[in-house]
Amino acid sequence: MKNMKWALMLAVALPAFGFAQQNYTLQGTVGKLDQPAKAYLRLNYDEKVRIDSVDIKNGKFEFKGSIPSPMEAHLRIIHDNAPFDPAKPPKQDILAFLIEGTTIKFVSADSIKNAKISGSPLNAENERVTVLLKPIYDQYEALEKEYRSKSLADQQDPAFIKSLEERAQVVDRAAIDAKMDYVAKNPKSYMALMAFNSTLPPEFNAIKAEEVFLTLDPSLQNSVLGKDLAKRIALLKKTSEGIEAQDFTQPDIDGKPVKLSDYRGKYVLIDFWASWCAPCRRENPNLVKSYAKYQKEGFEILGVSMDKAADKAKWLKAIQDDGLTWKQVGDLKGWENEAGMMYEVKAIPMNFLVDPNGKIIAKYLRGDELDKKLAEIFGK
């Protein structure tokens, strides 16, 4: 799992079983480093960042402590006490690793980022999974290399961008399938929890995610990462299909309040977007097409801007340029948009299709998916 590509997150509360408090010892040897060189250990859990530091003497350092469960951690080495020069900032010497209740050793001839890790079953398993996934990650790197090799004009060509995105989606699917296969075969492994967590985008099917989550060992569910994932699932369940859409009020472009409940009796798509969001702007023509086709049938769109107040002019221009003729609202608080926070919007474009009774019946309808859904609804 090179560079910790399975990002970790943290925090919540589950059953009364789980990992007991674990004692760890970290022993490092980094060449011939000596004072004033220092080693720093960074942990982040229970919504708190914890940083410990020790001097490096004769190339060696040691940390001891306890953690509530395995988790991601970072070691950083400051090689000297030279004053910081913003014109020549030093390269950071940092190693991301998995900390657990055991004695973990780090050995390197020059820097912590190149250290070999031993004594940790979890980090050893991490390396095995890295090897397993390497052929897939190599495909990502090949796509990035292809993109960089193109001229600026080619990089901006819609046909090339579409081709690149379609091929990236195939690789994404392969990565997800490989990780989920690992999860199914290793339900008691902490790496399985990490693998599963890494497959979940900012917006995911909370009902299906919960089904998989509950197949994992209870101790994993009650780990720091497990609690955080349980919290994410619980939050997203509030916007799952079949749940009544939460009502909200936002000002339109003229400052007049508009309520979601004003649309009761119609099918309405709540569309979260922003003027600066390139994928949103590419998606707008699809919305325009569907709106023109189904508005007379009882279909509406309510655009919710994730722009900031400073970008109001750009928001209004984007509405005009993209031909968005439906109602647009926004409190212009950027990612702090109150409706966006209510609907747990972490990435855009994001949308929710609400039926005439006010229930969410679909979400994240992009490309032709919206048109297909509306054809199913209206029988066209």
Side-chain angles (χ1 to χ4, degrees):
M1 206 171 68
K2 189 176 181 180
N3 298 324
M4 304 303 294
K5 289 186 178 179
W6 293 352
L8 295 176
M9 308 172 73
L10 315 156
V12 120
L14 280 169
F17 31 66
F19 289 102
Q21 196 76 9
Q22 301 184 9
N23 297 320
Y24 64 82
T25 298
L26 309 181
Q27 296 176 342
T29 301
V30 184
K32 297 181 180 180
L33 280 181
D34 211 329
Q35 293 178 302
K38 297 192 73 167
Y40 293 83
L41 171 64
R42 184 180 189 274
L43 300 171
N44 185 350
Y45 62 93
D46 292 343
E47 300 182 348
K48 293 180 181 179
V49 175
R50 296 162 170 82
I51 297 178
D52 194 6
S53 66
V54 294
D55 293 328
I56 299 178
K57 299 178 182 179
N58 299 318
K60 299 184 182 298
F61 66 85
E62 181 175 277
F63 290 97
K64 289 189 175 183
S66 62
I67 49 174
S69 74
M71 67 183 71
E72 183 181 16
H74 294 82
L75 280 171
R76 179 179 181 182
I77 300 295
I78 302 296
H79 289 243
D80 54 46
N81 61 357
F84 177 73
D85 182 357
K88 298 179 181 179
K91 292 183 179 179
Q92 294 191 352
D93 185 13
I94 300 175
L95 174 69
F97 69 102
L98 297 170
I99 191 168
E100 58 182 318
T102 186
T103 297
I104 307 176
K105 296 183 179 182
F106 306 82
V107 178
S108 172
D110 52 13
S111 58
I112 195 66
K113 66 182 178 183
N114 295 322
K116 296 294 183 182
I117 303 175
S118 62
S120 169
L122 194 51
N123 282 283
E125 187 178 1
N126 179 16
E127 288 301 316
R128 290 193 294 272
V129 175
T130 297
V131 173
L132 175 69
L133 293 175
K134 187 178 184 302
I136 299 174
Y137 286 138
D138 284 347
Q139 294 178 56
Y140 282 123
E141 292 177 5
L143 291 177
E144 291 177 5
K145 184 177 181 180
E146 180 184 349
Y147 177 79
R148 292 193 300 269
S149 71
K150 299 292 184 180
S151 66
L152 180 61
D154 286 340
Q155 290 177 353
Q156 296 175 342
D157 178 53
F160 174 67
I161 293 173
K162 182 179 179 181
S163 169
L164 210 61
E165 289 179 341
E166 289 176 347
R167 285 180 286 159
Q169 288 173 3
V170 173
V171 181
D172 287 344
R173 187 68 259 168
I176 291 173
D177 288 346
K179 293 175 183 179
M180 293 307 296
D181 181 64
Y182 185 86
V183 172
K185 293 176 179 177
N186 301 275
K188 294 184 178 182
S189 167
Y190 186 78
M191 293 297 295
L193 174 62
M194 291 180 63
F196 179 51
N197 184 63
S198 72
T199 67
L200 301 175
E203 299 294 338
F204 58 85
N205 187 317
I207 303 299
K208 290 184 178 179
E210 187 175 51
E211 291 175 358
V212 175
F213 182 72
L214 293 177
T215 67
L216 297 174
D217 192 81
S219 64
L220 298 178
Q221 297 176 30
N222 204 46
S223 68
V224 168
L225 177 58
K227 290 178 180 179
D228 180 68
L229 181 51
K231 182 178 180 181
R232 290 177 63 200
I233 291 172
L235 287 172
L236 283 178
K237 281 181 71 175
K238 296 191 302 183
T239 57
S240 293
E241 294 177 19
I243 301 298
E244 184 171 346
Q246 302 172 85
D247 198 13
F248 62 84
T249 302
Q250 297 256 296
D252 66 12
I253 60 174
D254 298 315
K256 297 179 181 178
V258 177
K259 290 183 178 181
L260 173 61
S261 54
D262 293 341
Y263 290 84
R264 282 293 177 94
K266 295 185 177 182
Y267 287 91
V268 57
L269 185 77
I270 312 170
D271 178 45
F272 291 94
W273 73 292
S275 63
W276 47 262
C277 169
C280 302
R281 303 295 295 275
R282 289 199 296 271
E283 190 64 28
N284 280 341
N286 294 320
L287 299 182
V288 170
K289 180 182 72 174
S290 294
Y291 189 64
K293 190 174 180 179
Y294 294 103
Q295 183 193 14
K296 292 183 180 179
E297 305 293 332
F299 171 62
E300 283 293 342
I301 301 177
L302 178 61
V304 182
S305 171
M306 303 297 283
D307 287 282
K308 293 182 178 180
D311 294 324
K312 182 176 181 178
K314 294 179 182 178
W315 172 43
L316 297 178
K317 186 176 186 301
I319 294 172
Q320 184 72 27
D321 290 347
D322 293 0
L324 311 183
T325 57
W326 50 87
K327 185 69 72 175
Q328 296 287 339
V329 301
D331 57 18
L332 299 179
K333 296 179 181 179
W335 287 108
E336 301 300 316
N337 179 288
E338 292 181 10
M341 294 176 69
M342 182 183 295
Y343 279 76
E344 291 295 314
V345 174
K346 304 296 184 183
I348 51 177
M350 183 61 200
N351 58 47
F352 300 85
L353 183 61
V354 180
D355 73 7
N357 296 316
K359 288 189 176 182
I360 297 171
I361 57 172
K363 61 182 182 179
Y364 203 56
L365 297 169
R366 297 185 63 179
D368 295 332
E369 292 178 0
L370 174 61
D371 205 63
K372 290 178 181 178
K373 185 65 178 178
L374 293 175
E376 174 188 316
I377 291 171
F378 295 112
K380 285 193 175 183

